[in-house]
Amino acid sequence: MPSTLVSGQQDRSGTPDDTDAVVYGGRDLVADLCQWTNFMSLPNIAYLGVAALIYSCPTMSGFPSNSIASVSTPYATPGVEPGSVHGVTLEIGVHVLLRNLVLCFGVYSGWHYAMYSASAPLSTQKYNPRFPPDWEHTSARRWTLAGSVICSVYELVALHVWATRGGCVGSLGDAPLYTIITWFAACFISDAHFWLVHRAMHPWGWAVPGIGDLGGILYRHVHYLHHLRHNPGPWAGLAMHPVEHIIYFSRSVWLLFVPCHPVVYLFSNVRAMIGPAPGHHGFEDAFGSRFHLIHHAVLRTNYGTRGYLDKYFGTFTLKEEANPAKVQQ
């Protein structure tokens, strides 16, 4: 069978191959989670740095004033009593939206230039040697930038909650260990959320009474848009249906129900917005992900980010001709 990564076509058939089986139990999963280096990756550190910059820089955050009568309080001096400040203003909303649009456009454009347009690209080891046509990048760009709008809405909701109800940790010095634990929890919950909602948008193999296969319905009407790019580039990373954007960015909502430092929430949001770019650029080096590109080619495997949840649930493979009978349908 020809390589699905090289052909750029999705393989919907597959053949049984027990040699690809992965034996992975609860203890293995716990062992993976206990390896903090799984989360202290260079990209995660970079996303944390961006979140810290947004938090600490008034120009980036959109909150130039320290006045307790303004919504600047959640970033400038967080942790005030509920009801002591007003909600998000239109000016703040526009600022956050424009900042995220610029950040999203800059990061994805940078990856696209570095991998596809530069005279000396960061890598020449492309999994699929064929390059996507320009119109695919243009189409994906529109959907990705639309995703930054949804990301901004979630951030503004968080700001409104903190401004009107409080609930965020005032400074890193107030609870440093708790903040570190919350950050690690945000890393794992983001991964778990992505696996769960991603798996839910592929066929389940069983029907909900009166509805049918809900996963198949979500795939045909929502998730299909992301899978139009069988041979993706960086801009394909966040190219999703708006309904999927709403589901995808909901990974950070739980942080509104526990005390957390705003940087942790911003990290989760920023990681979700710009993190997909390197995983979709299609090259072996520069943080590329063969693991996820196989998912784009095969569909039935590799629903997660780093693979440990796929190993646990039996949906992991590094083979391009994955066995559809072995993995969960």
Side-chain angles (χ1 to χ4, degrees), residues 26-114:
R27 290 184 178 180
D28 301 295
L29 179 61
V30 172
D32 259 351
L33 296 179
C34 290
Q35 293 181 17
W36 62 272
T37 52
N38 285 337
F39 302 108
M40 289 293 291
S41 62
L42 185 57
N44 274 354
I45 293 173
Y47 306 143
L48 183 61
V50 172
L53 179 63
I54 292 172
Y55 171 78
S56 61
C57 179
T59 304
M60 290 284 285
S61 67
F63 309 119
S65 171
N66 287 326
S67 170
I68 199 168
S70 74
V71 78
S72 65
T73 304
Y75 280 170
T77 54
V80 296
E81 291 299 319
S84 63
V85 292
H86 301 299
V88 174
T89 64
L90 178 62
E91 180 182 2
I92 296 301
V94 171
H95 189 106
V96 169
L97 174 61
L98 290 178
R99 180 246 294 156
N100 282 340
L101 278 169
V102 170
L103 176 62
C104 184
F105 183 83
V107 169
Y108 281 84
S109 293
W111 276 111
H112 181 83
Y113 176 81

Side-chain angles (χ1 to χ4, degrees), residues 134-144 229 239:
D134 289 341
W135 67 266
E136 283 196 11
H137 297 306
T138 301
S139 173
R141 185 184 303 119
R142 290 195 293 266
W143 292 110
T144 289
R229 288 105 192 149

